[in-house]
Amino acid sequence: MTFEALQPKVIEITTNTTITRDEKLLKICQLLEQNIVYYTWVGFYFANHETKTLHLGPYVGAETDHTVIPFGKGICGQVAVSNENFVVPDVAAQDNYIACSFTVKSEIVVPLFVNGQNIGQIDIDSNVLDPFTKEDELFLEFVNKEIAKLY
């Protein structure tokens, strides 16, 4: 399914008044993982600015031990500090990478802003080398803008 075709489905989930915010986040994870062939793991991390840590939220994919990540550590931790998208074409080439699974080859992390503050991020792993394009970034920015309306 194309990113363009997925956009109204994202809006349909975020505007559903019969489910909780966490249920909406999980449904978005499921939607993306099921419809974008190279999205292997899709999840959210949320920031605790007092402790400077990220905490795992809803996700789909392989179980992870990385439920709390310090700011600055790994790709997600770096995005918590930089406030910028981070696309990793080959995780093996990254020094500051936290391995979740030996099958993961690439990663994209896009920050989630609410009222100008980075409150978390969407994190996507792929078992394919270098699959992420500018279109992925733009689509995930759209997803996060829709999610931001929930806060």
Side-chain angles (χ1 to χ4, degrees), residues 18-56:
T18 65
I19 58 175
T20 68
R21 180 169 57 200
D22 275 358
E23 289 170 326
K24 291 174 185 182
L25 294 173
L26 181 59
K27 284 188 176 293
I28 286 172
C29 292
Q30 292 166 336
L31 176 74
L32 301 186
E33 189 268 340
Q34 291 167 4
N35 289 284
I36 303 171
V37 68
Y38 52 92
Y39 285 17
T40 309
W41 190 98
V42 180
F44 291 93
Y45 282 93
F46 291 94
N48 179 325
H49 290 282
E50 289 179 17
T51 60
K52 298 207 177 302
T53 52
L54 294 166
H55 297 264
L56 183 61

Side-chain angles (χ1 to χ4, degrees), residues 44-48 51-57 64-71 73-74 76-77 98 121:
F44 291 93
Y45 282 93
F46 291 94
N48 179 325
T51 60
K52 298 207 177 302
T53 52
L54 294 166
H55 297 264
L56 183 61
T64 180
D65 293 333
H66 306 291
T67 58
V68 179
I69 299 173
F71 283 15
K73 184 150 176 60
C76 291
I98 302 171
Q121 53 205 226

Side-chain angles (χ1 to χ4, degrees), residues 11-132:
I11 293 169
E12 184 179 315
I13 292 169
T14 59
T15 57
N16 183 335
T17 58
T18 65
I19 58 175
T20 68
R21 180 169 57 200
D22 275 358
E23 289 170 326
K24 291 174 185 182
L25 294 173
L26 181 59
K27 284 188 176 293
I28 286 172
C29 292
Q30 292 166 336
L31 176 74
L32 301 186
E33 189 268 340
Q34 291 167 4
N35 289 284
I36 303 171
V37 68
Y38 52 92
Y39 285 17
T40 309
W41 190 98
V42 180
F44 291 93
Y45 282 93
F46 291 94
N48 179 325
H49 290 282
E50 289 179 17
T51 60
K52 298 207 177 302
T53 52
L54 294 166
H55 297 264
L56 183 61
Y59 73 95
V60 295
E63 295 249 346
T64 180
D65 293 333
H66 306 291
T67 58
V68 179
I69 299 173
F71 283 15
K73 184 150 176 60
I75 307 308
C76 291
Q78 291 176 74
V79 169
V81 174
S82 73
N83 297 319
E84 295 178 1
N85 298 349
F86 199 155
V87 178
V88 182
D90 181 358
V91 296
Q94 273 296 319
D95 290 336
N96 190 1
Y97 172 70
I98 302 171
C100 290
S101 166
F102 69 92
T103 61
V104 174
K105 305 284 187 241
S106 55
E107 183 174 12
I108 184 171
V109 179
V110 176
L112 170 60
F113 295 99
V114 174
N115 299 323
Q117 182 181 30
N118 181 349
I119 68 155
Q121 53 205 226
I122 190 167
D123 176 21
I124 297 171
D125 293 341
S126 179
N127 293 345
V128 177
L129 269 175
D130 198 15
F132 303 115

